[in-house]
Amino acid sequence: MKPLGPIPAVFESIDGELAIGGRKAGEIVAEAGDTPLFVYSRDRLSRRVETLRAAMPPRLRLHYAIKANPFAPLLGFMAGLVDGFDVASGGELARLQEAGVAADRVSFAGPGKRDRELEQAIAAGCTINLESEGEARRALDIAARLGVAPKLAIRVNPSFELRGSGMKMGGGAKPFGIDEDRVAALGRELIAEGAQWCGLHIFTGSQALDAEAIIETQANVLQLAARLAADIGADLPKLNMGGGFGIPYFHGDTPLDIEAIGAALEQRLADLPPGLAQTELCIELGRYLVGEAGVYLARIVDRKVSHGQVFLVTDGGLHHQLAASGNFGTVVRRNYPLAIATRFDAAPEEEASVVGCLCTPLDRLADAAHLPRAEVGDLVAVFCAGAYGATASPAQFLGQGPAREVMV
Ligand SMILES: Cc1ncc(COP(=O)(O)O)c(C=O)c1O
């Protein structure tokens, strides 16, 4: 038997069936037309942002990194909740523009920006977080051709990392950002060339559950930013402090202590060096904002036994849930939180593996889990499906195609 990850608090049931946004899972599927289906709860999104804001210093702005989930109705909803957005491509910028988000609320980070993406971002008036001196040169040239002063910030590759983060984006040789010892020279050059100087972006890692590690990193970020502002010789208009706030996916994971992070940050902000006194500060979060608001529903199409082991075969799988299957940057596969949605209140009584419909042994949604007895037609729910699900999975693999997505 292998443990399942913790189901995010609190999912209710109606008549023994999982309810999302006050509605039974089966009803939502019937209305959406079919499974597999991603369901995102507006109520959970709002409550998450509300709780986070209450814990963080009021001066801190919240940005949503849409790579976690760029579903258009979700973007439209988030536009009313957060202060800004971060995109990683021209395609993501276009999605935000289609959702009616003004480009002056958007910053664009990511290596390998093509000229046409730089032009799209500069023309729209979005802030570009520069990843290299070469990219800076191209952005300045494109802006000169367009006859505008581009909004430019520098993404710093700091010498420190976010301890314990699932994915490290700083410290040592990295394709992200500009090594900290070269930032001041570039900053001075951007200002001298007449760009709209937008400050720094220091993103060190993602999926950290240790509040102390985030507190330590935020202190390092503020210290580094103050030093760089002094070296550049200009106050920082903006500082994107990165993010890294994680969510519990696996057995034994515990929720991040955001109150501790907020309190520590409040103290630091009370005592900022002069170069940062007027700086607009933000954090940039993806999964923390949207991950737990999403549930992936798939239907059991077959129940079979092989060598004494029960397999519940669903119509979903890794083509929508690469991360839950353990194939998105995981070394050892562990079970995500999962339940039989149509028997949400039933006691577990058998060991079963929940698999997808792809003919690869990699397609596993739960391995040797303790579950209520489920039959063909039952719905399976994978939790923490609001981030890095639909668009971070190979939906076209084996001709399957994308899952449906709805907001409730
Ligand atoms: C620059 C940047 N911003 C934001 C994120 C979002 O991370 P998360 O969804 O873990 O908050 C990432 C993740 O890789 C990133 O690279």
Side-chain angles (χ1 to χ4, degrees):
M1 202 96 73
K2 296 185 184 158
L4 290 164
I7 294 176
V10 174
F11 272 98
E12 283 155 4
S13 64
I14 299 175
D15 302 334
E17 185 170 333
L18 171 69
I20 311 165
R23 303 189 49 211
K24 286 187 196 176
E27 263 174 44
I28 303 172
V29 168
E31 197 173 289
D34 206 356
T35 45
L37 173 69
F38 284 94
V39 184
Y40 311 119
S41 152
R42 290 188 187 88
D43 183 50
R44 292 187 80 93
L45 292 168
S46 320
R47 278 193 283 134
R48 176 48 65 107
V49 173
E50 217 172 276
T51 320
L52 186 62
R53 282 201 194 273
M56 293 296 134
R59 172 173 170 185
L60 188 71
R61 293 168 152 248
L62 280 188
H63 284 200
Y64 172 47
I66 81 164
K67 54 171 67 77
N69 188 334
F71 182 51
L74 182 136
L75 293 180
F77 189 70
M78 293 301 281
L81 297 178
V82 298
D83 304 303
F85 291 87
D86 188 66
V87 299
S89 69
E92 285 194 345
L93 174 57
R95 282 196 180 214
L96 274 179
Q97 289 176 307
E98 280 157 23
V101 174
D104 63 1
R105 295 175 72 192
V106 183
S107 62
F108 180 4
K113 299 181 192 77
R114 285 158 286 187
D115 283 356
R116 64 176 157 75
E117 292 175 295
L118 289 171
E119 179 164 341
Q120 175 193 357
I122 292 168
C126 135
T127 300
I128 297 172
N129 293 323
L130 297 167
E131 302 271 351
S132 73
E133 286 92 345
E135 188 175 286
R137 189 66 263 156
R138 289 190 290 126
L140 287 166
D141 291 347
I142 288 166
R145 180 163 49 73
L146 297 178
V148 296
K151 290 174 152 176
L152 300 180
I154 298 176
R155 178 166 179 187
V156 184
N157 174 27
S159 54
F160 52 85
E161 59 181 37
L162 174 53
R163 262 192 304 119
S165 55
M167 224 180 270
K168 296 186 177 18
M169 319 284 287
K174 289 278 184 295
F176 314 111
I178 296 171
D179 294 353
E180 59 178 58
D181 56 348
R182 301 207 309 268
V183 167
L186 181 62
R188 287 192 291 267
E189 187 186 330
L190 297 178
I191 294 169
E193 294 236 15
Q196 290 186 57
W197 172 231
C198 292
L200 302 173
H201 175 221
I202 309 180
F203 190 93
T204 48
S206 93
Q207 182 51 19
L209 288 173
D210 176 1
E212 283 309 315
I214 291 182
I215 290 169
E216 176 191 288
T217 298
Q218 290 186 335
N220 289 336
V221 164
L222 287 168
Q223 205 176 24
L224 173 60
R227 181 163 63 72
L228 291 173
D231 291 352
I232 293 167
D235 288 352
L236 276 192
K238 294 184 188 181
L239 172 62
N240 180 329
M241 301 176 60
F245 291 28
I247 58 173
Y249 287 107
F250 305 117
H251 177 71
D253 284 355
T254 48
L256 186 62
D257 184 353
I258 52 164
E259 275 77 23
I261 296 171
L265 192 56
E266 184 83 63
Q267 269 187 6
R268 301 236 170 243
L269 300 194
D271 190 24
L272 281 180
L276 298 186
Q278 302 302 322
T279 304
E280 184 183 303
L281 301 169
C282 76
I283 51 171
E284 170 188 340
L285 306 176
R287 80 185 77 225
Y288 190 80
L289 297 181
V290 299
E292 293 185 357
V295 180
Y296 175 72
L297 296 171
R299 199 175 290 283
I300 297 173
V301 291
D302 200 4
R303 178 189 163 94
K304 55 192 282 190
V305 177
S306 170
H307 289 264
Q309 289 185 31
V310 176
F311 289 90
L312 303 171
V313 187
T314 68
D315 59 4
L318 76 72
H319 52 298
H320 306 140
Q321 278 293 306
L322 194 63
S325 76
N327 294 293
F328 192 53
T330 322
V331 181
V332 179
R333 192 198 173 282
R334 287 176 292 166
N335 286 329
Y336 260 42
L338 173 145
I340 306 299
T342 31
R343 300 171 195 262
F344 196 54
D345 288 345
E349 58 176 291
E350 67 174 8
E351 182 182 308
S353 290
V354 181
V355 300
C357 52
L358 306 185
C359 48
T360 157
L362 300 177
D363 193 6
R364 237 161 232 252
L365 296 175
D367 194 23
H370 197 201
L371 293 169
R373 189 189 159 94
E375 303 292 344
V376 169
D378 272 319
L379 292 172
V380 166
V382 179
F383 297 89
C384 296
Y388 306 109
T391 58
S393 307
Q396 297 305 331
F397 190 35
L398 301 186
Q400 291 292 336
R404 292 163 196 240
E405 294 176 277
V406 292
M407 302 275 291
V408 293

